[in-house]
Amino acid sequence: MFEWVSWPGMVAAAAIALVAAAIVILIVTGVAAAFGRRYQFVRNLTRWGRMPFRVLVVVIALWFAVGQTLPDRELWPYVSHGFLIGVIIVAAWLAGALIILAIDHAISRYRNDPESRSARTARTQLEIVRRLVIAIVIVLAIAGVLLTFDAVRAVGTSLLASAGIISVIAGLAAQSTLGNMFAGIQLAFSEALRVDDVVIAEGQWGRIEEMTLTYVVLKLWDDRRLVLPSTYFTTTPFENWTRHSSDLLGVVEFDLDWNLDLDDMRTQLDRILAATSLWDERESVLQVTETTGHTMRVRILVSASDSGRLFDLRCHVREEMVRWLIRQGSPGMPRQRVVMLDPYDPSERDAKTVEMPTVEGDVEPLPERPGLFTGSIEAETRASEFTQAIPIIRPDDDHEAERQHP
């Protein structure tokens, strides 16, 4: 008669247990496949939980088979302890996979609406919760494994009496890490920051790509990643361009001549905006915001549905306006106005520079302002004393010389 409580019997029992585990796995897989044809969630459940479920069934089956047929009973406590640790680890693996599946399924409901404020808030909070729950599962699994040892249980009982002191020491040792963790939770549930928010941080413009319990990843406009601790956003002011909505206003400025017809420029602005899909038709304003001695500052205010489209719209308006101004010619081009003085006219010799009306076409350059050694007859005469240049003869001196030497 075959003896089961023996080494060959244990091997045979383990083989039978593996066959039974395979049958159970096939049955569960078939049922899941049948429901998976109708429900996407079941298909995701099969994909995420397939491996940990199979390992768990195999470990439990082998635990039962070895427990019934192990010939050396003195080894059983150690073998059983090993199987118990394996079950705890695999069960934590399966629980973590199911949690990830459930939260990802909830997050996927909001991925189709990335511009919605409520959708981005829910995604941010669910991703933080997922990381937090996974961390809790890992900690519980480690604690469960450690508590299977009698020595650890005895030490744990004594540690409970001094938990206050230990918590203070741990808090001081991990102050920065714990601060970032609490800051990450605060950011997720205070709605101050969400995934896909457009922000300005450290002078950099970018979009929130990832938020964890301890750090935030900012994807910059040039595809670089700026990683900042979570405490940065709770202790440092930053700009959030999508706090309530993604709609934004942008400015394009020009320094133009006073002769430009502003009504024509407004008409051209309307044509430019009507011909592009970047404009969201909310705002279109052209105003003169400042005037100087030579130019006027024209400010164009436009709007777009998000920051990226606004940047492109501002560039588009600027380029089209420059083309239009070039086609218009001189009326809008900034220019310097000068006055031509007669250096021999005493009434104009000491005159200050004044503004002149606009002169179409090329304008001769204005002579340099009279100085100590240049710009006037007296100055040139004074300069000749130092340079030993040929003396300058005034027109009056020429007539006197002719009278003396006819």
Side-chain angles (χ1 to χ4, degrees):
M1 183 177 182
F2 184 76
E3 181 65 33
W4 287 99
V5 183
S6 62
W7 295 110
M10 187 186 70
V11 173
I16 295 173
L18 291 175
V19 173
I23 294 173
V24 172
I25 291 171
L26 289 175
I27 293 174
V28 174
T29 302
V31 173
F35 283 97
R37 297 188 185 96
R38 298 179 56 186
Y39 304 103
Q40 177 64 34
F41 179 78
V42 177
R43 290 197 297 272
N44 295 335
L45 178 63
T46 303
R47 184 176 68 255
W48 281 90
R50 178 188 298 113
M51 185 57 65
F53 173 75
R54 291 177 177 178
V55 175
L56 182 62
V57 171
V58 170
V59 171
I60 293 175
L62 290 176
W63 190 7
F64 178 78
V66 173
Q68 297 296 321
T69 58
L70 183 65
D72 190 352
R73 306 310 297 178
E74 294 181 357
L75 295 176
W76 172 241
Y78 304 101
V79 175
S80 178
H81 189 211
F83 277 114
L84 177 60
I85 293 175
V87 169
I88 293 174
I89 293 174
V90 178
W93 180 15
L94 179 60
L98 295 179
I99 291 171
I100 293 175
L101 169 64
I103 296 179
D104 282 354
H105 180 72
I107 292 176
S108 65
R109 297 174 56 187
Y110 299 100
R111 286 176 178 161
N112 295 328
D113 192 10
E115 299 300 329
S116 172
R117 176 171 173 263
S118 59
R120 289 187 288 112
T121 300
R123 286 176 55 194
T124 302
Q125 294 176 351
L126 288 172
E127 288 181 2
I128 294 296
V129 168
R130 176 178 63 181
R131 291 183 171 88
L132 183 61
V133 172
I134 290 175
I136 292 174
V137 170
I138 293 174
V139 170
L140 292 177
I142 295 174
V145 171
L146 293 177
L147 290 176
T148 59
F149 297 91
D150 295 335
V152 174
R153 284 200 300 268
V155 173
T157 303
S158 62
L159 288 178
L160 290 176
S162 57
I165 299 176
I166 294 175
S167 62
V168 172
I169 296 174
L172 292 175
Q175 183 177 4
S176 177
T177 302
L178 292 176
N180 280 318
M181 290 182 62
F182 286 116
I185 297 174
Q186 177 184 345
L187 289 175
F189 291 94
S190 65
E191 300 186 14
L193 197 65
R194 297 175 293 267
V195 174
D196 287 333
D197 269 350
V198 177
V199 301
I200 301 287
E202 291 292 301
Q204 301 285 346
W205 179 90
R207 186 181 295 273
I208 300 297
E209 183 179 49
E210 182 182 1
M211 291 180 63
T212 69
L213 287 174
T214 56
Y215 63 88
V216 177
V217 179
L218 182 63
K219 182 180 180 181
L220 304 182
W221 64 274
D222 54 0
D223 286 340
R224 290 180 297 148
R225 266 63 173 183
L226 180 63
V227 181
L228 297 170
S230 298
T231 52
Y232 174 87
F233 294 95
T234 58
T235 59
T236 306
F238 64 95
E239 295 182 26
N240 190 335
W241 289 12
T242 54
R243 177 69 176 82
H244 295 289
S245 66
S246 60
D247 300 334
L248 292 171
L249 301 177
V251 172
V252 181
E253 291 186 328
F254 298 91
D255 289 332
L256 303 173
D257 191 79
W258 289 24
N259 284 321
L260 179 67
D261 191 330
L262 295 176
D263 292 333
D264 290 347
M265 192 173 186
R266 289 189 177 95
T267 302
Q268 178 63 20
L269 175 62
D270 293 338
R271 294 195 192 101
I272 294 173
L273 295 178
T276 179
S277 61
L278 299 173
W279 183 48
D280 63 359
E281 302 182 2
R282 287 191 303 117
E283 296 291 342
S284 171
V285 179
L286 188 150
Q287 294 175 314
V288 177
T289 58
E290 187 179 353
T291 56
T292 63
H294 302 288
T295 60
M296 60 179 176
R297 178 156 296 174
V298 178
R299 187 182 75 166
I300 297 175
L301 182 67
V302 293
S303 60
S305 58
D306 57 65
S307 57
R309 296 172 68 86
L310 178 64
F311 179 82
D312 291 339
L313 176 62
R314 291 170 59 197
C315 294
H316 176 70
V317 170
R318 188 179 294 111
E319 292 173 3
E320 293 299 321
M321 276 298 180
V322 168
R323 292 192 182 98
W324 179 76
L325 289 169
I326 293 174
R327 291 196 301 268
Q328 290 294 107
S330 60
M333 298 299 180
R335 68 194 67 191
Q336 295 288 331
R337 293 175 171 83
V338 298
V339 119
M340 306 300 294
L341 299 178
D342 184 358
Y344 301 108
D345 188 349
S347 63
E348 296 182 352
R349 188 176 300 163
D350 299 326
K352 297 181 179 179
T353 302
V354 295
E355 297 294 330
M356 289 185 62
T358 302
V359 179
E360 299 294 338
D362 297 334
V363 178
E364 295 182 3
L366 180 68
E368 294 184 8
R369 187 173 180 178
L372 185 62
F373 296 103
T374 57
S376 66
I377 300 298
E378 292 81 358
E380 297 292 344
T381 302
R382 191 180 300 114
S384 67
E385 298 177 359
F386 295 93
T387 62
Q388 296 182 357
I390 299 174
I392 297 177
I393 301 177
R394 294 187 175 88
D396 295 341
D397 297 337
D398 292 340
H399 297 306
E400 184 65 26
E402 291 178 359
R403 285 197 299 270
Q404 294 178 359
H405 304 281

